Amino acid sequence: MSATAAPSPRTRSRRLALGVLATGMLMTILDGSIVTVAMPAIQSDLGFTPAGLTWVVNAYLIAFGSLLLLAGRLGDLIGRKRMFLAGTGIFTAASLLAGVAASPGVLIAARFLQGVGSAMASAVGLGILVTLFTEPRERARAIAVFSFTGAAGASIGQVLGGVLTDALAWNWIFFINLPIGIATVLVAVPALPADRGLGLKAGADALGALLVTAGLMTGIYAVVKVETYGATSAHTLGLGALALLLIAGFLVRQATARNPLMPLRILRSRSVAGANLVQMLMVAALFSFQVLVALYLQNVLGYGAARTGLAMLPAAAVIGAVSLGVSARLNARFGERNVLLAGLVLLIGVLGLLTRVPGSAEQANYLTDLLPVMLLAAGFGLALPALTSLGMSGAKAEDAGLASGLFNTTQQIGMALGVAVLSTLAASRTESLTAAGRPAAEALTGGFHLAFGVGAGLLTAALVVAFAVLRRPEETGQAAPAEREAHPAAV
């Protein structure tokens, strides 16, 4: 019996490249969640006002969300490897600046620069991955690893943020990025494939870049300030209208420009357009799981930061087990569309169960009320890899960076919408219950119940869109890559 053959140098090189890309994704997601648990310490140390403190998060979100599409296309034009290295370098340097910040202004500026670097690196990550792994099964496994890294980063960030802040100081939530960022750059230089890009002349649309960046930045700013000004205020509606006008101008520009920044052909693919819409709805809904469950554990059940992270760790574990262990095989056997639908059904169950959580620590039992919720989160491990494959499947090789940037952009828009809509609804419901004389914990839980219910509705809408728009391969007259491999005789 012969021994198992060792991986070829090419296979080892691609695995190393996947590790680099996954580490870059982990840093980005980790940074988004790790800072939330350190906010009270940051406010106390630097003297932030309550309104000013929100900009520690908002500055990052605005830069990150508004630059993803532009960074993705620039990666196609000047080279995705260059964009990834530059973005990781900027993010790492900005992390050092954030860690040594001695005033609110410096920290906010550093967070904005972190968002810029994250956008540059994240926007091209999937584009590099799909051009590196061209064989369907290998690509499916690589996407599963990439997706799990993003899902795990949020849970790890909550635990790590609490530990670092309690054991050392809030500065270390930023300093921890330094060794990771430097190591990522050093390994990425030889590991990532060199690509020259199409050249700026193939899509150097300065006006289009200005319109889309200004439109996304205005829109995300309007959304993150909804809780301050209200959803129907002149501030929110005016900026929202301006954002829509800028985006509409961008689309008109792309339809008429000789060298568009975003060739509209990418949106003609039902897989690309449908997957991005499903992702926006799904991410908006799952904000209620990722953030509001943590608030429920802390503010209603009285958990500390580290205990909250540990309570949510089973969700990360099952997501990892499913996405890394079985998602690639299920996608190959049943097709991404069917696996996505199954994942969405499980996630609807997650938020449905959360609408029934008790309103006090005395009534709640983690094993019966919350552990089943954490285990059903396995649906995310099914849905995200399948959705990512569908979102990248319709893009040509020369548009891989753009498709990656678009996919990440809709993710950030969905997150911003989830923050604005669900947190506002929860706060409004809590206020009305408090005014009616309900105890504080019960009023908070009532607000969370409403947000969970609306989130379940958003997931149901995502399920309908996925079923209606993301056709089966036989309906489009062309077998999906995974099915062609699984059933070669049908080709």
Side-chain angles (χ1 to χ4, degrees), residues 40-274:
I42 292 173
Q43 182 178 17
S44 175
D45 195 15
L46 297 186
F48 271 97
T49 64
L53 187 64
T54 62
W55 282 99
V56 176
V57 174
N58 292 346
Y60 179 88
L61 287 178
I62 290 171
F64 185 44
S66 61
L67 292 173
L68 280 164
L69 192 62
L70 175 60
R73 186 54 176 168
L74 286 177
D76 290 332
L77 300 180
I78 68 173
R80 299 179 197 113
K81 180 177 180 178
R82 291 177 185 171
M83 185 62 69
F84 181 86
L85 291 173
T88 304
I90 290 172
F91 177 84
T92 305
S95 296
L96 175 60
L97 180 62
V100 301
S103 67
V106 172
L107 181 58
I108 291 172
R111 289 288 289 163
F112 186 88
L113 287 174
Q114 278 190 310
V116 172
S118 290
M120 294 170 66
S122 301
V124 296
L126 275 173
I128 296 173
L129 187 149
V130 299
T131 55
L132 195 62
F133 295 88
T134 56
E135 193 270 329
R137 281 192 190 276
E138 287 189 340
R139 178 182 289 185
R141 286 193 291 268
I143 286 177
V145 170
F146 193 79
S147 300
F148 164 70
T149 304
S155 297
I156 295 172
Q158 290 173 332
V159 178
L160 192 58
V163 170
L164 288 174
T165 302
D166 290 343
L168 298 171
W170 64 264
N171 314 72
W172 284 91
I173 67 173
F174 300 114
F175 288 149
I176 196 173
N177 292 327
L178 301 183
I180 300 174
I182 292 170
T184 299
V185 170
L186 292 176
V187 178
V189 171
L192 296 184
D195 59 319
R196 298 181 61 182
L198 302 173
L200 289 175
K201 291 183 179 179
D205 179 15
L207 178 58
L210 178 64
L211 286 170
V212 70
T213 303
L216 289 171
M217 194 170 287
T218 303
I220 293 171
Y221 173 77
V223 168
V224 299
K225 298 301 287 183
V226 162
E227 195 168 353
T228 301
Y229 291 97
T232 58
S233 67
H235 180 276
T236 300
L237 295 178
L239 287 179
L242 177 59
L244 290 175
L245 185 63
L246 289 167
I247 296 296
F250 167 72
L251 293 175
V252 171
R253 171 67 181 177
Q254 299 316 287
T256 58
R258 176 178 296 181
N259 294 313
L261 180 72
M262 187 184 83
L264 296 183
R265 63 175 179 268
I266 195 171
L267 298 178
R268 298 191 188 112
S269 166
R270 290 177 69 101
S271 293
V272 172

Side-chain angles (χ1 to χ4, degrees), residues 382-408:
L382 292 176
L384 189 57
L387 193 58
T388 304
S389 295
L390 289 166
M392 298 297 294
S393 64
K396 298 179 180 180
E398 62 268 25
D399 294 331
L402 173 62
S404 175
L406 178 63
F407 195 73
N408 282 289

